[in-house]
Structure formats: structure tokens, C-alpha cells
Coordinates of all heavy atoms in Angstrom, one line a residue:
M1 N -44.1 -10.8 15.1 CA -43.2 -9.9 14.3 C -42.2 -10.8 13.6 O -41.6 -11.7 14.2 CB -42.5 -8.9 15.2 CG -41.5 -8.0 14.5 SD -40.6 -6.8 15.5 CE -41.9 -5.9 16.2
E2 N -42.1 -10.6 12.3 CA -41.1 -11.4 11.5 C -39.7 -11.0 11.9 O -39.4 -9.9 12.4 CB -41.3 -11.2 10.0 CG -42.6 -11.7 9.5 CD -42.7 -11.5 8.0 OE1 -41.7 -11.5 7.3 OE2 -43.8 -11.4 7.5
I3 N -38.8 -11.9 11.7 CA -37.4 -11.7 12.0 C -36.9 -10.4 11.3 O -36.2 -9.6 11.9 CB -36.5 -12.9 11.7 CG1 -36.8 -14.0 12.6 CG2 -35.0 -12.5 11.7 CD1 -36.1 -15.3 12.3
K4 N -37.2 -10.3 10.0 CA -36.7 -9.1 9.2 C -37.2 -7.8 9.9 O -36.5 -6.8 10.0 CB -37.2 -9.2 7.8 CG -36.6 -8.2 6.9 CD -35.2 -8.5 6.6 CE -34.7 -7.5 5.5 NZ -33.3 -7.5 5.5
E5 N -38.5 -7.8 10.3 CA -39.0 -6.6 10.9 C -38.3 -6.3 12.2 O -38.0 -5.1 12.5 CB -40.5 -6.7 11.2 CG -41.4 -6.8 10.0 CD -42.8 -7.1 10.4 OE1 -43.2 -6.8 11.5 OE2 -43.5 -7.6 9.5
W6 N -38.0 -7.3 13.0 CA -37.3 -7.1 14.3 C -35.9 -6.6 14.0 O -35.4 -5.7 14.7 CB -37.2 -8.5 15.0 CG -36.4 -8.4 16.3 CD1 -36.9 -8.0 17.5 CD2 -35.1 -8.8 16.4 NE1 -35.8 -8.1 18.4 CE2 -34.7 -8.6 17.7 CE3 -34.1 -9.3 15.5 CZ2 -33.5 -8.9 18.2 CZ3 -32.8 -9.6 16.0 CH2 -32.5 -9.3 17.4
E7 N -35.2 -7.1 13.0 CA -33.9 -6.7 12.7 C -33.9 -5.2 12.3 O -33.0 -4.4 12.7 CB -33.3 -7.5 11.6 CG -32.9 -8.9 12.1 CD -32.5 -9.8 10.9 OE1 -32.7 -9.5 9.7 OE2 -32.0 -10.9 11.2
E8 N -34.8 -4.8 11.4 CA -34.9 -3.4 10.9 C -35.2 -2.5 12.1 O -34.6 -1.4 12.1 CB -35.9 -3.3 9.8 CG -35.5 -4.0 8.5 CD -36.6 -4.0 7.5 OE1 -37.7 -3.5 7.7 OE2 -36.3 -4.6 6.4
K9 N -36.1 -2.9 13.0 CA -36.4 -2.1 14.1 C -35.2 -1.8 15.0 O -34.9 -0.7 15.4 CB -37.6 -2.7 14.9 CG -38.0 -1.9 16.1 CD -39.2 -2.5 16.8 CE -39.6 -1.6 18.0 NZ -40.2 -2.3 19.1
L10 N -34.5 -2.9 15.3 CA -33.3 -2.8 16.2 C -32.3 -1.9 15.5 O -31.7 -1.0 16.2 CB -32.7 -4.2 16.4 CG -31.5 -4.2 17.3 CD1 -31.7 -3.6 18.7 CD2 -30.9 -5.7 17.4
Y11 N -32.0 -2.1 14.2 CA -31.1 -1.3 13.5 C -31.4 0.2 13.6 O -30.6 1.0 13.9 CB -31.0 -1.7 12.0 CG -29.9 -1.0 11.2 CD1 -28.7 -1.6 11.0 CD2 -30.2 0.2 10.7 CE1 -27.7 -1.0 10.3 CE2 -29.2 0.9 10.0 CZ -28.0 0.3 9.8 OH -27.0 0.9 9.1
K12 N -32.7 0.5 13.3 CA -33.1 1.9 13.4 C -33.0 2.5 14.7 O -32.5 3.6 14.9 CB -34.5 2.0 12.9 CG -35.1 3.4 12.8 CD -36.5 3.4 12.3 CE -37.0 4.9 12.2 NZ -38.4 5.0 11.8
E13 N -33.3 1.7 15.8 CA -33.2 2.2 17.2 C -31.8 2.5 17.5 O -31.5 3.6 18.1 CB -33.8 1.2 18.1 CG -35.3 1.1 18.1 CD -35.9 0.0 18.9 OE1 -35.1 -0.7 19.6 OE2 -37.1 -0.1 19.0
I14 N -30.9 1.6 17.2 CA -29.5 1.8 17.5 C -28.9 3.0 16.8 O -28.2 3.8 17.3 CB -28.7 0.5 17.3 CG1 -29.2 -0.6 18.1 CG2 -27.2 0.7 17.4 CD1 -29.0 -0.4 19.6
Y15 N -29.2 3.0 15.5 CA -28.7 4.1 14.6 C -29.1 5.4 15.1 O -28.2 6.3 15.3 CB -29.2 3.9 13.2 CG -28.7 4.9 12.2 CD1 -27.5 4.6 11.5 CD2 -29.4 6.0 11.9 CE1 -27.0 5.6 10.5 CE2 -29.0 6.9 10.9 CZ -27.8 6.7 10.3 OH -27.3 7.6 9.3
E16 N -30.3 5.6 15.4 CA -30.8 6.9 15.9 C -30.3 7.2 17.3 O -29.9 8.4 17.6 CB -32.4 6.9 15.9 CG -33.0 6.9 14.5 CD -34.5 6.8 14.5 OE1 -35.1 6.6 15.6 OE2 -35.0 6.8 13.4
S17 N -30.1 6.3 18.1 CA -29.6 6.5 19.5 C -28.1 6.9 19.4 O -27.7 7.8 20.1 CB -29.7 5.2 20.3 OG -29.1 5.3 21.5
V18 N -27.3 6.3 18.5 CA -25.9 6.6 18.4 C -25.8 8.0 17.8 O -25.0 8.8 18.3 CB -25.2 5.6 17.5 CG1 -23.8 6.0 17.2 CG2 -25.1 4.2 18.2
L19 N -26.6 8.4 16.8 CA -26.5 9.7 16.2 C -26.8 10.8 17.3 O -26.2 11.8 17.4 CB -27.5 9.9 15.1 CG -27.0 9.4 13.7 CD1 -28.0 9.7 12.6 CD2 -25.7 10.2 13.3
S20 N -27.9 10.5 18.1 CA -28.2 11.4 19.1 C -27.1 11.6 20.2 O -26.8 12.7 20.6 CB -29.5 10.9 19.8 OG -29.8 11.7 20.9
N21 N -26.5 10.5 20.5 CA -25.4 10.5 21.4 C -24.2 11.3 20.9 O -23.5 12.0 21.6 CB -24.9 9.1 21.8 CG -23.8 9.0 22.8 OD1 -22.6 9.1 22.4 ND2 -24.2 9.0 24.1
L22 N -23.9 11.1 19.6 CA -22.8 11.9 19.0 C -23.1 13.4 19.0 O -22.2 14.2 19.3 CB -22.5 11.3 17.6 CG -21.9 10.0 17.5 CD1 -21.9 9.4 16.1 CD2 -20.4 10.0 18.0
E23 N -24.3 13.7 18.7 CA -24.7 15.2 18.8 C -24.5 15.7 20.2 O -24.0 16.8 20.4 CB -26.1 15.3 18.3 CG -26.3 15.1 16.8 CD -25.6 16.2 15.9 OE1 -25.3 17.3 16.4 OE2 -25.4 15.9 14.8
F24 N -25.0 14.9 21.2 CA -24.8 15.3 22.5 C -23.4 15.5 22.9 O -23.0 16.5 23.5 CB -25.5 14.3 23.5 CG -25.4 14.6 24.9 CD1 -26.3 15.5 25.5 CD2 -24.4 14.1 25.7 CE1 -26.1 15.8 26.9 CE2 -24.3 14.4 27.0 CZ -25.2 15.3 27.6
R25 N -22.5 14.6 22.6 CA -21.1 14.6 22.8 C -20.5 15.9 22.2 O -19.7 16.6 22.8 CB -20.4 13.4 22.3 CG -20.6 12.2 23.2 CD -20.0 10.9 22.6 NE -18.6 11.0 22.5 CZ -17.8 10.1 21.9 NH1 -18.4 9.0 21.4 NH2 -16.5 10.3 21.9
K26 N -20.9 16.2 21.0 CA -20.3 17.3 20.3 C -20.6 18.6 21.0 O -19.8 19.5 21.1 CB -21.0 17.4 18.9 CG -20.5 18.6 18.1 CD -21.2 18.6 16.7 CE -20.9 19.9 16.0 NZ -21.7 20.0 14.8
K27 N -21.8 18.7 21.6 CA -22.2 19.9 22.3 C -21.7 20.0 23.7 O -21.4 21.1 24.2 CB -23.8 20.0 22.4 CG -24.4 20.2 21.0 CD -25.9 20.1 21.2 CE -26.6 20.3 19.8 NZ -28.0 20.1 19.8
R28 N -21.5 18.9 24.4 CA -21.1 18.9 25.8 C -19.7 18.4 26.2 O -19.3 18.8 27.2 CB -22.1 18.0 26.5 CG -23.6 18.3 26.3 CD -24.0 19.4 27.3 NE -25.4 19.5 27.3 CZ -26.1 20.6 26.9 NH1 -25.4 21.6 26.4 NH2 -27.4 20.6 26.9
D29 N -19.1 17.7 25.3 CA -17.8 17.1 25.7 C -16.6 18.1 25.2 O -16.4 18.2 24.0 CB -17.6 15.7 25.0 CG -16.3 15.0 25.4 OD1 -15.5 15.6 26.1 OD2 -16.1 13.9 25.0
P30 N -15.9 18.6 26.1 CA -14.8 19.5 25.7 C -13.7 18.8 25.0 O -12.9 19.5 24.3 CB -14.3 20.1 27.1 CG -14.8 19.2 28.1 CD -16.0 18.5 27.6
N31 N -13.6 17.5 25.1 CA -12.6 16.8 24.4 C -13.0 16.2 23.1 O -12.3 15.5 22.4 CB -12.1 15.6 25.3 CG -11.4 16.1 26.5 OD1 -10.6 17.1 26.5 ND2 -11.7 15.5 27.7
F32 N -14.2 16.6 22.7 CA -14.8 16.1 21.4 C -14.0 16.6 20.2 O -13.6 17.7 20.1 CB -16.2 16.5 21.3 CG -16.9 16.1 20.0 CD1 -17.5 14.8 20.0 CD2 -16.8 16.8 18.9 CE1 -18.1 14.4 18.8 CE2 -17.4 16.4 17.7 CZ -18.1 15.2 17.7
S33 N -13.7 15.7 19.3 CA -13.1 16.1 18.0 C -13.4 15.0 17.0 O -13.7 13.8 17.3 CB -11.6 16.2 18.2 OG -11.0 14.9 18.3
I34 N -13.5 15.4 15.7 CA -13.7 14.4 14.7 C -12.6 13.4 14.6 O -12.8 12.2 14.3 CB -13.9 15.2 13.3 CG1 -15.2 16.0 13.3 CG2 -13.8 14.2 12.1 CD1 -16.4 15.1 13.5
K35 N -11.4 13.9 14.9 CA -10.2 12.9 14.9 C -10.5 11.8 15.9 O -10.2 10.6 15.7 CB -8.9 13.7 15.3 CG -7.7 12.8 15.3 CD -6.5 13.6 15.6 CE -5.3 12.7 15.6 NZ -4.0 13.4 16.0
R36 N -11.0 12.2 17.1 CA -11.3 11.2 18.1 C -12.4 10.2 17.7 O -12.3 9.0 17.9 CB -11.7 11.9 19.4 CG -11.9 11.0 20.6 CD -12.2 11.7 21.8 NE -12.4 10.8 22.9 CZ -12.6 11.2 24.2 NH1 -12.6 12.4 24.5 NH2 -12.8 10.3 25.1
I37 N -13.4 10.8 17.1 CA -14.6 10.0 16.6 C -14.1 9.0 15.5 O -14.5 7.9 15.4 CB -15.7 10.9 16.1 CG1 -16.3 11.8 17.2 CG2 -16.8 10.1 15.4 CD1 -16.8 11.0 18.4
K38 N -13.2 9.5 14.6 CA -12.7 8.6 13.6 C -11.8 7.5 14.2 O -11.9 6.4 13.7 CB -11.8 9.4 12.6 CG -12.6 10.3 11.7 CD -11.6 11.0 10.7 CE -12.4 11.8 9.7 NZ -11.5 12.6 8.7
G39 N -11.1 7.8 15.3 CA -10.4 6.8 16.0 C -11.3 5.7 16.6 O -11.0 4.5 16.5
E40 N -12.4 6.1 17.1 CA -13.4 5.2 17.7 C -14.0 4.3 16.6 O -14.2 3.1 16.7 CB -14.5 6.0 18.4 CG -14.1 6.6 19.7 CD -15.1 7.5 20.3 OE1 -16.3 7.2 20.1 OE2 -14.8 8.4 21.1
L41 N -14.2 5.0 15.4 CA -14.8 4.2 14.3 C -13.8 3.2 13.8 O -14.1 2.1 13.5 CB -15.1 5.2 13.1 CG -15.7 4.6 11.8 CD1 -16.9 3.8 12.1 CD2 -15.9 5.7 10.8
E42 N -12.5 3.5 13.7 CA -11.5 2.6 13.3 C -11.5 1.4 14.2 O -11.3 0.2 13.8 CB -10.1 3.2 13.3 CG -9.9 4.2 12.1 CD -10.0 3.5 10.8 OE1 -9.5 2.4 10.6 OE2 -10.6 4.2 9.9
T43 N -11.6 1.6 15.5 CA -11.7 0.5 16.5 C -12.9 -0.4 16.2 O -12.8 -1.6 16.3 CB -11.8 1.0 17.9 OG1 -10.6 1.8 18.2 CG2 -11.9 -0.1 18.9
M44 N -14.0 0.2 15.8 CA -15.2 -0.6 15.5 C -15.0 -1.4 14.3 O -15.5 -2.5 14.2 CB -16.4 0.4 15.3 CG -17.0 0.9 16.6 SD -18.4 1.9 16.3 CE -17.8 3.5 16.7
Y45 N -14.3 -0.9 13.3 CA -14.0 -1.6 12.1 C -13.2 -2.9 12.4 O -13.4 -4.0 11.9 CB -13.2 -0.8 11.1 CG -13.9 0.3 10.3 CD1 -13.3 1.4 10.0 CD2 -15.3 0.1 10.0 CE1 -13.9 2.4 9.3 CE2 -15.9 1.1 9.3 CZ -15.3 2.3 8.9 OH -15.9 3.3 8.3
V46 N -12.2 -2.7 13.3 CA -11.4 -3.9 13.8 C -12.3 -4.9 14.5 O -12.2 -6.1 14.3 CB -10.2 -3.4 14.7 CG1 -9.5 -4.6 15.3 CG2 -9.3 -2.6 13.9
N47 N -13.1 -4.4 15.4 CA -14.1 -5.3 16.1 C -15.0 -6.0 15.2 O -15.4 -7.2 15.4 CB -14.9 -4.5 17.2 CG -14.0 -4.0 18.3 OD1 -13.0 -4.6 18.6 ND2 -14.5 -3.0 19.0
Q48 N -15.4 -5.3 14.1 CA -16.3 -5.9 13.2 C -15.7 -7.1 12.5 O -16.3 -8.1 12.2 CB -16.8 -4.9 12.1 CG -17.9 -5.4 11.2 CD -18.4 -4.3 10.3 OE1 -17.6 -3.5 9.8 NE2 -19.7 -4.3 10.1
D49 N -14.4 -7.0 12.2 CA -13.6 -8.1 11.6 C -13.3 -9.2 12.5 O -13.1 -10.3 12.1 CB -12.4 -7.6 10.9 CG -12.7 -6.7 9.7 OD1 -13.8 -6.9 9.1 OD2 -11.8 -5.9 9.3
N50 N -13.2 -8.9 13.8 CA -12.8 -9.9 14.8 C -14.1 -10.7 15.3 O -15.1 -10.1 15.5 CB -12.1 -9.3 16.0 CG -10.8 -8.7 15.7 OD1 -10.2 -9.1 14.7 ND2 -10.3 -7.8 16.5
S51 N -13.9 -11.9 15.5 CA -15.0 -12.8 16.1 C -16.3 -12.7 15.4 O -17.4 -12.8 16.0 CB -15.2 -12.4 17.6 OG -14.0 -12.5 18.3
W52 N -16.3 -12.5 14.1 CA -17.6 -12.4 13.4 C -18.4 -13.7 13.5 O -19.6 -13.7 13.5 CB -17.4 -11.9 12.0 CG -16.5 -12.8 11.2 CD1 -15.2 -12.7 11.0 CD2 -16.9 -14.0 10.5 NE1 -14.7 -13.8 10.3 CE2 -15.8 -14.5 9.9 CE3 -18.2 -14.6 10.2 CZ2 -15.8 -15.7 9.1 CZ3 -18.2 -15.7 9.4 CH2 -17.0 -16.3 8.9
A53 N -17.7 -14.8 13.5 CA -18.3 -16.1 13.5 C -19.0 -16.3 14.9 O -20.0 -17.1 14.9 CB -17.4 -17.2 13.2
G54 N -18.5 -15.7 15.9 CA -19.1 -16.0 17.3 C -20.1 -14.9 17.7 O -20.6 -15.0 18.8
R55 N -20.4 -14.0 16.8 CA -21.3 -12.9 17.2 C -22.7 -13.2 16.8 O -23.0 -13.8 15.7 CB -20.9 -11.6 16.4 CG -21.5 -10.4 16.8 CD -20.9 -9.2 16.1 NE -19.5 -9.0 16.4 CZ -18.6 -8.8 15.5 NH1 -18.9 -8.7 14.3 NH2 -17.3 -8.6 15.9
S56 N -23.7 -12.9 17.7 CA -25.1 -13.2 17.4 C -25.6 -12.2 16.3 O -25.0 -11.2 16.0 CB -25.9 -13.0 18.6 OG -26.0 -11.7 19.0
A57 N -26.7 -12.5 15.7 CA -27.3 -11.6 14.8 C -27.6 -10.2 15.4 O -27.4 -9.2 14.7 CB -28.6 -12.2 14.2
A58 N -28.1 -10.2 16.6 CA -28.4 -8.9 17.3 C -27.1 -8.1 17.5 O -27.1 -6.9 17.3 CB -29.1 -9.2 18.6
E59 N -26.1 -8.7 17.9 CA -24.8 -8.0 18.1 C -24.3 -7.5 16.8 O -23.7 -6.4 16.7 CB -23.8 -9.0 18.7 CG -24.1 -9.3 20.1 CD -23.1 -10.4 20.7 OE1 -22.7 -11.3 19.9 OE2 -22.8 -10.4 21.9
E60 N -24.4 -8.2 15.7 CA -24.0 -7.8 14.4 C -24.8 -6.6 13.9 O -24.2 -5.6 13.4 CB -24.1 -8.9 13.4 CG -23.5 -8.6 12.0 CD -22.0 -8.3 12.0 OE1 -21.3 -8.9 12.8 OE2 -21.6 -7.4 11.3
I61 N -26.1 -6.6 14.1 CA -26.9 -5.5 13.8 C -26.5 -4.2 14.6 O -26.4 -3.1 14.0 CB -28.4 -5.8 14.0 CG1 -28.9 -6.9 13.0 CG2 -29.3 -4.6 14.0 CD1 -30.2 -7.5 13.3
K62 N -26.3 -4.4 15.9 CA -25.9 -3.3 16.7 C -24.6 -2.7 16.2 O -24.5 -1.4 16.1 CB -25.8 -3.7 18.2 CG -27.1 -4.0 18.8 CD -26.9 -4.5 20.2 CE -28.2 -4.9 20.8 NZ -28.1 -5.5 22.2
L63 N -23.6 -3.5 15.9 CA -22.3 -3.0 15.5 C -22.5 -2.3 14.1 O -21.9 -1.2 13.9 CB -21.3 -4.1 15.4 CG -19.9 -3.7 15.0 CD1 -19.3 -2.7 16.0 CD2 -19.0 -5.0 15.1
S64 N -23.2 -2.9 13.2 CA -23.4 -2.3 11.9 C -24.1 -1.0 12.0 O -23.7 0.0 11.3 CB -24.2 -3.3 11.0 OG -23.5 -4.4 10.7
A65 N -25.2 -0.9 12.8 CA -25.9 0.4 12.9 C -25.0 1.4 13.6 O -25.1 2.6 13.2 CB -27.1 0.1 13.8
T66 N -24.2 1.1 14.5 CA -23.3 2.0 15.2 C -22.3 2.5 14.2 O -22.0 3.8 14.1 CB -22.6 1.4 16.4 OG1 -23.6 0.9 17.3 CG2 -21.7 2.3 17.1
I67 N -21.7 1.7 13.4 CA -20.7 2.1 12.4 C -21.4 3.0 11.4 O -20.8 4.0 11.0 CB -20.1 0.8 11.7 CG1 -19.1 0.1 12.7 CG2 -19.4 1.2 10.4 CD1 -18.6 -1.2 12.2
S68 N -22.5 2.7 10.9 CA -23.2 3.5 9.9 C -23.5 4.9 10.5 O -23.4 5.9 9.8 CB -24.5 2.9 9.5 OG -24.3 1.7 8.8
A69 N -23.9 4.9 11.7 CA -24.2 6.2 12.4 C -22.9 7.1 12.5 O -22.9 8.3 12.2 CB -24.8 6.0 13.7
F70 N -21.8 6.4 12.9 CA -20.6 7.1 13.0 C -20.1 7.7 11.6 O -19.7 8.8 11.5 CB -19.5 6.2 13.6 CG -19.3 6.3 15.1 CD1 -20.3 5.9 15.9 CD2 -18.2 6.9 15.6 CE1 -20.1 5.9 17.3 CE2 -18.0 7.0 17.0 CZ -19.0 6.5 17.8
E71 N -20.3 6.8 10.6 CA -19.9 7.2 9.2 C -20.7 8.4 8.8 O -20.2 9.4 8.2 CB -20.0 6.1 8.3 CG -19.0 5.0 8.5 CD -19.2 3.7 7.7 OE1 -20.4 3.5 7.2 OE2 -18.3 3.0 7.5
F72 N -22.0 8.4 9.0 CA -22.9 9.5 8.6 C -22.5 10.7 9.4 O -22.4 11.8 8.8 CB -24.4 9.1 8.9 CG -25.3 10.2 8.6 CD1 -25.7 10.4 7.3 CD2 -25.8 11.0 9.6 CE1 -26.6 11.5 7.0 CE2 -26.7 12.0 9.3 CZ -27.1 12.3 8.0
F73 N -22.3 10.6 10.7 CA -22.0 11.8 11.5 C -20.7 12.4 11.0 O -20.6 13.7 10.8 CB -21.9 11.4 12.9 CG -21.6 12.5 13.9 CD1 -22.6 13.3 14.3 CD2 -20.3 12.8 14.2 CE1 -22.4 14.4 15.2 CE2 -20.0 13.9 15.1 CZ -21.0 14.7 15.6
I74 N -19.7 11.7 10.7 CA -18.4 12.2 10.3 C -18.6 12.9 8.9 O -18.1 14.0 8.7 CB -17.3 11.1 10.2 CG1 -17.0 10.6 11.6 CG2 -16.1 11.5 9.5 CD1 -16.2 9.3 11.7
A75 N -19.3 12.2 8.0 CA -19.5 12.8 6.7 C -20.2 14.2 6.8 O -19.9 15.1 6.1 CB -20.3 11.9 5.8
K76 N -21.2 14.2 7.7 CA -22.0 15.4 7.8 C -21.1 16.5 8.4 O -21.2 17.7 8.0 CB -23.2 15.2 8.8 CG -24.2 16.3 8.9 CD -25.4 15.9 9.7 CE -25.0 16.0 11.2 NZ -26.1 15.9 12.1
E77 N -20.3 16.2 9.4 CA -19.4 17.2 10.0 C -18.4 17.7 9.0 O -18.0 18.9 9.1 CB -18.7 16.6 11.3 CG -19.7 16.4 12.4 CD -20.3 17.7 12.9 OE1 -19.5 18.6 13.2 OE2 -21.5 17.8 13.0
E78 N -17.9 16.8 8.2 CA -16.8 17.2 7.3 C -17.4 18.1 6.1 O -16.7 18.8 5.5 CB -16.1 16.0 6.7 CG -15.2 15.4 7.8 CD -14.4 14.2 7.3 OE1 -14.9 13.5 6.4 OE2 -13.4 13.9 8.0
E79 N -18.7 18.0 5.9 CA -19.3 18.8 4.9 C -19.4 20.3 5.4 O -19.4 21.2 4.6 CB -20.8 18.3 4.6 CG -20.8 17.2 3.6 CD -22.3 16.8 3.4 OE1 -23.2 17.4 3.9 OE2 -22.5 15.8 2.6
S80 N -19.6 20.4 6.7 CA -19.8 21.8 7.2 C -18.5 22.5 7.4 O -17.5 22.2 7.3 CB -20.6 21.8 8.5 OG -20.8 20.6 9.1

């Protein structure tokens, strides 16, 4: 498997897993709120800017996929 294929596969797996987890939390967590999810996303933005030079490619892909999933989820929720 080429590196690019591996990266795309990892990104997709993480993205889908995070979206699924967010949907689960929305249904089951009594403390769930978009405000809280936005706060978690802000923390991820800070983490993304910190230690970027010391992060492996896999870690960067995981963080990017997670952030993208959070952004998509928030946008979808704010539309409804």
C-alpha cells in the first residue's frame, strides 16, 4: 500500500469514527451541548498549533480528521 493510500484510509477511519462518537454522545450524554463540543474543538485547534514539529504523520492525520469531523458535526447541528 502506498503511503498516500494509507494516509487516506487512516483519515477516513478516524473521521467516520469521530462522527459516530459525536452522534452517540448527542443521543446518550445528558451534558451534551454544542457549546461544549465547540470548546473541545477550540482545544484541538490549540493542540494542532502546539508541538507540530514533533508530531508524527499519523498523529497529524488523526488530529486533522478529528477536527474536520467536529467542524462538520457542528455545522450540521447549527443548520437544524
